[in-house]
Amino acid sequence: AQSVTQLGSHVSVSEGALVLLRCNYSSSVPPYLFWYVQYPNQGLQLLLKYTTGATLVKGINGFEAEFKKSETSFHLTKPSAHMSDAAEYFCAVSGESGYSTLTFGKGTMLLVSP
Amino acid sequence: NAGVTQTPKFQVLKTGQSMTLQCAQDMNHNSMYWYRQDPGMGLRLIYYSASEGTTDKGEVPNGYNVSRLNKREFSLRLESAAPSQTSVYFCASSGHRSGGEQYFGPGTRLTVT
């Protein structure tokens, strides 16, 4: 079975500051890892994903994440926050095959102040 | 190319009423999923269909039924709605070539009174 823990249900940053959203996972097999973003009253949109290969993954809107197997982590970062980044972010891990079900974390709401 | 579509967008039911949530995808994906989203709980899998003709229970299947009507369509039915089923419901799909990525619909906001 897989599980995902996102540290902090809310994270507040100032515009221009570093964004760091934490995600730790548990998986008995090599995981596929994902970050999704949800803007108010919308569905989920993929930010980035790790499957195999390079452990530093770049996504849309300037976000990136690094897969650290030894720490079972997949933290999401962005060097400089923008007001438009305010949203809820979800980390997810896939099942054994990589094509099966996703297990989501509970989400982190990112608040960006001017 | 509409991606994943869901109907209706909003629905209010009385306890005990039934309804069906519709989902369709036009990406020729084999797998489809139904999730519910509740505050502070993230997304929880209700049912999924790995391929046309198969369905399996997820984490929270009680009170729901599903039908994979064809490759494009996957419906979720509430036979006797309860207030605990008040939630936002998302449909998603994925294909063999999507590397595990799931594509989500816009959601259905359901209130059961």
Side-chain angles (χ1 to χ4, degrees):
Chain A
Q2 294 78 36
S3 67
V4 174
T5 302
Q6 291 184 240
L7 187 62
S9 59
H10 292 79
V11 170
S12 296
V13 299
S14 299
E15 193 172 20
L18 171 71
V19 175
L20 171 61
L21 304 182
R22 299 179 187 273
C23 172
N24 288 89
Y25 70 91
S26 168
S27 177
S28 58
V29 296
Y32 285 13
L33 294 158
F34 306 82
W35 275 101
Y36 283 85
V37 60
Q38 184 181 33
Y39 298 102
N41 300 314
Q42 294 187 24
L44 275 71
Q45 177 184 1
L46 183 73
L47 271 180
L48 50 80
K49 66 181 179 183
Y50 169 79
T51 54
T52 58
T55 56
L56 182 62
V57 181
K58 295 186 184 298
I60 62 172
N61 301 338
F63 284 92
E64 63 182 35
E66 186 171 11
F67 170 59
K68 293 188 176 180
K69 183 178 178 180
S70 61
E71 299 177 8
T72 61
S73 68
F74 191 57
H75 302 330
L76 182 70
T77 60
K78 182 175 180 178
S80 177
H82 193 272
M83 296 294 289
S84 61
D85 295 327
E88 191 159 22
Y89 293 79
F90 293 93
C91 182
V93 62
S94 71
E96 295 183 7
S97 72
Y99 297 127
S100 59
T101 61
L102 289 177
T103 300
F104 284 85
K106 297 186 187 302
T108 297
M109 183 69 70
L110 178 65
L111 307 170
V112 183
S113 57
Chain B
N1 191 343
V4 180
T5 56
Q6 293 182 236
T7 55
K9 292 186 177 180
F10 302 94
Q11 184 71 50
V12 179
L13 291 178
K14 295 185 186 302
T15 298
Q17 289 185 318
S18 62
M19 79 161 295
T20 300
L21 281 64
Q22 306 286 354
C23 174
Q25 52 91 10
D26 62 2
M27 294 173 283
N28 200 35
H29 284 166
N30 289 311
S31 302
M32 298 185 73
Y33 313 82
W34 276 106
Y35 294 90
R36 60 178 289 172
Q37 182 180 26
D38 302 292
M41 300 294 290
L43 277 79
R44 294 180 292 171
L45 183 66
I46 305 171
Y47 271 94
Y48 67 102
S49 172
S51 61
E52 188 178 355
T54 69
T55 60
D56 286 285
K57 295 178 180 180
E59 180 184 355
V60 288
N62 290 346
Y64 305 96
N65 286 300
V66 290
S67 296
R68 183 74 183 267
L69 304 172
N70 47 55
K71 192 172 186 178
R72 289 187 65 248
E73 299 173 288
F74 188 39
S75 63
L76 178 71
R77 183 161 178 84
L78 286 70
E79 292 290 354
S80 179
S84 61
Q85 295 178 304
T86 294
S87 187
V88 182
Y89 292 85
F90 288 100
C91 178
S93 69
S94 67
H96 289 315
R97 296 183 179 181
S98 67
E101 175 184 353
Q102 293 183 13
Y103 296 78
F104 284 80
T108 294
R109 188 173 295 273
L110 175 66
T111 301
V112 183
T113 61

